[in-house]
Amino acid sequence: MFRKLSYIYFLILSFISTIAYAGGSNGSALFINEINSARSYGMGGITANLIDEQSALHNPGAMGLFFFDRTVSISFPNKTTLGPWFEHKLYLKTYSIGLGYSSYKYKERKFHYSTSIAYSEKEIDYGGVRLIGSPPLTSFGVDARERAQYLSIGFGLDYFIRIGFGYSHKKIKSELGYFRNGADISLEQSANTAYDFGIIFELPLSHVLKSFPLSFKNTKIELTPSLAVVQSNMGNQIFYFSEQPSSLPKTRRIGVGLNTMMSRNSEPILSLLLIYEYDKYLVGNRRLFYRFGLESSILESLFLRFGRFRDIKYYEIGGHVIDYNTYGFGLNLNKLINKIFSNQKKQRHHSIIKKILHNFDLRFDWSKTNSTNTKYLKLNLSI
């Protein structure tokens, strides 16, 4: 009896277990669909069209475009507190490290390509829980956590149209604590593998239309529409608590975006990125998400973000909709640090250091939603 009660408690406590036990589920190991990107969350949770240091976690195809002008990327570890869920806090942690090579150093070529590889981890920590039963069962503590390890590869092609495509292989491991059945105590754990495939297209209108970019004096306006498709968490079923197998939370995301950039003397002044994303679960009750994100930047140093998230759940008893807004900002410290070094009277920097200082990006992102107190913070570095 107690084993069943503790089993149900953990099902309620964890995203995965809740869904694995309930009929008409969206699959197990739902934590791998949780977003831990302050930039993404500030834009309503859109991910497919974003090209940044965390692309390996969301769309490996976007890595191909990101590494056209980058060699190293680091998304530093962060810890986001979720909940409380049933008076219990959950902790979501992620980080990512990537390396890439691009033919853009040969600028005379018309055809360019990039290759990249990244390692990432995502972990959700459900914390320690003390289970208490009636005699002769004594109380004991348990810890529960799940982790996914990603190995991603990406490729990019640039010839009039820019195309990025990539693949991520995931190793998923769950440790959901100890459970007692009579005199026996057993560790409930599971492991599985899954994969993601993503592709993204960008079409700078100046590549195909003579009327673009729009120019006046030394100022230019460039428009770049994009389309992205990501298939996530494809793989075999996963087992929890020695029960019936449950599907992974397979999803398909489709995003369309438009990036507008204004530059003067080849230096960016203002930009506006608009993205709409459709996200659908391919298992269970086929949950639907619609997301809209907006990001504006000034001098590529200050970023302001707004998003809207719409979650539609279809159940046999009917559907209900969850709507909320998100917002956030980002600071790129590149120009500030370069300004400090350029104002120094004594210039003793080696040319390689100068080049690194000119090309690196160090960005801090923060975001929040109007529906919870959860705050997302992230520090990213790329060179």
Side-chain angles (χ1 to χ4, degrees):
M1 177 65 180
F2 176 74
R3 185 178 189 274
K4 190 173 182 76
L5 289 175
S6 61
Y7 169 43
I8 293 174
Y9 179 81
F10 265 89
L11 293 176
I12 294 174
L13 176 63
S14 71
F15 297 132
I16 28 145
S17 304
T18 300
I19 300 303
Y21 184 75
S25 74
N26 293 304
S28 294
L30 282 179
F31 81 100
I32 52 181
N33 285 338
E34 287 297 309
I35 296 168
N36 195 22
S37 164
R39 184 190 181 201
S40 167
Y41 200 80
M43 300 173 68
I46 57 99
T47 56
N49 294 65
L50 289 187
I51 302 169
D52 58 24
E53 293 84 355
Q54 288 189 275
S55 290
L57 287 161
H58 306 134
N59 180 3
M63 291 170 53
L65 302 189
F66 179 79
F67 283 98
F68 271 140
D69 57 359
R70 289 289 180 264
T71 303
V72 179
S73 72
I74 303 174
S75 181
F76 290 97
N78 68 325
K79 181 178 180 180
T80 301
T81 303
L82 306 177
W85 299 83
F86 302 96
E87 300 182 352
H88 195 87
K89 291 182 179 180
L90 315 181
Y91 302 98
L92 184 63
K93 311 169 189 177
T94 57
Y95 73 87
S96 183
I97 301 173
L99 296 172
Y101 171 82
S102 170
S103 66
Y104 262 102
K105 64 180 180 179
Y106 305 108
K107 295 183 179 180
E108 68 279 1
R109 294 181 178 178
K110 293 183 179 180
F111 173 84
H112 292 282
Y113 65 90
S114 73
T115 61
S116 53
I117 186 169
Y119 175 80
S120 315
E121 283 195 11
K122 178 183 291 186
E123 179 182 287
I124 189 163
D125 184 353
Y126 301 107
V129 181
R130 183 162 292 278
L131 304 179
I132 302 175
S134 56
L137 182 63
T138 57
S139 65
F140 57 95
V142 298
D143 290 316
R145 61 174 49 86
E146 297 183 284
R147 175 184 297 173
Q149 298 171 302
Y150 298 62
L151 183 61
S152 308
I153 55 173
F155 303 92
L157 302 174
D158 185 356
Y159 186 72
F160 291 107
I161 186 172
R162 291 196 288 259
I163 304 175
F165 52 96
Y167 170 88
S168 288
H169 180 82
K170 304 177 184 177
K171 292 177 64 177
I172 304 167
K173 185 177 182 181
S174 302
E175 295 180 354
L176 300 181
Y178 291 88
F179 292 87
R180 174 173 288 185
N181 183 14
D184 298 327
I185 297 178
S186 60
L187 175 64
E188 297 293 351
Q189 59 183 0
S190 184
N192 203 353
T193 59
Y195 66 88
D196 299 347
F197 176 78
I199 188 167
I200 183 170
F201 303 88
E202 281 192 343
L203 180 61
L205 294 186
S206 61
H207 289 190
V208 293
L209 298 176
K210 293 182 179 180
S211 56
F212 281 92
L214 301 175
S215 302
F216 49 97
K217 296 185 179 180
N218 294 323
T219 303
K220 294 182 179 180
I221 298 178
E222 174 71 277
L223 300 178
T224 305
S226 63
L227 170 67
V229 180
V230 184
Q231 195 97 347
S232 297
N233 308 321
M234 310 307 291
N236 297 322
Q237 293 177 317
I238 191 168
F239 290 81
Y240 287 99
F241 302 101
S242 303
E243 297 292 327
Q244 294 297 318
S246 181
S247 298
L248 290 167
K250 301 174 183 178
T251 65
R252 179 183 298 123
R253 283 170 287 138
I254 301 174
V256 292
L258 178 65
N259 189 23
T260 304
M261 173 73 73
M262 177 185 290
S263 60
R264 184 176 180 84
N265 297 323
S266 300
E267 289 292 327
I269 302 174
L270 300 171
S271 72
L272 179 65
L273 176 61
L274 302 172
I275 299 175
Y276 177 82
E277 185 175 288
Y278 166 90
D279 186 355
K280 184 175 183 179
Y281 275 80
L282 304 179
V283 296
N285 55 36
R286 297 185 178 272
R287 196 167 165 185
L288 289 173
F289 303 88
Y290 297 98
R291 301 182 175 100
F292 170 77
L294 177 154
E295 178 184 72
S296 62
S297 74
I298 303 172
L299 301 176
E300 287 195 329
S301 297
L302 173 63
F303 300 85
L304 301 176
R305 305 182 179 110
F306 172 81
R308 186 165 182 82
F309 176 90
R310 185 175 176 87
D311 177 358
I312 302 177
K313 301 179 182 178
Y314 291 101
Y315 295 104
E316 293 180 0
I317 60 174
H320 75 277
V321 178
I322 297 176
D323 266 313
Y324 60 82
N325 299 325
T326 66
Y327 52 91
F329 71 89
L331 293 173
N332 190 335
L333 305 178
N334 172 289
K335 293 186 181 297
L336 176 61
I337 294 175
N338 273 282
K339 186 73 173 174
I340 293 173
F341 277 93
S342 64
N343 287 340
Q344 290 184 356
K345 293 182 179 180
K346 295 182 180 180
Q347 298 290 336
R348 297 179 179 176
H349 309 300
H350 192 276
S351 59
I352 258 180
I353 297 178
K354 286 184 179 180
K355 186 176 180 180
I356 290 175
L357 287 174
H358 179 73
N359 289 291
F360 90 104
D361 280 328
L362 180 62
R363 193 182 72 250
F364 170 78
D365 296 318
W366 177 94
S367 64
K368 192 181 183 300
T369 174
N370 63 348
S371 64
T372 69
N373 291 322
T374 300
K375 299 179 181 67
Y376 292 79
L377 300 96
K378 195 69 176 177
L379 187 66
N380 297 294
L381 171 68
S382 60
I383 301 173

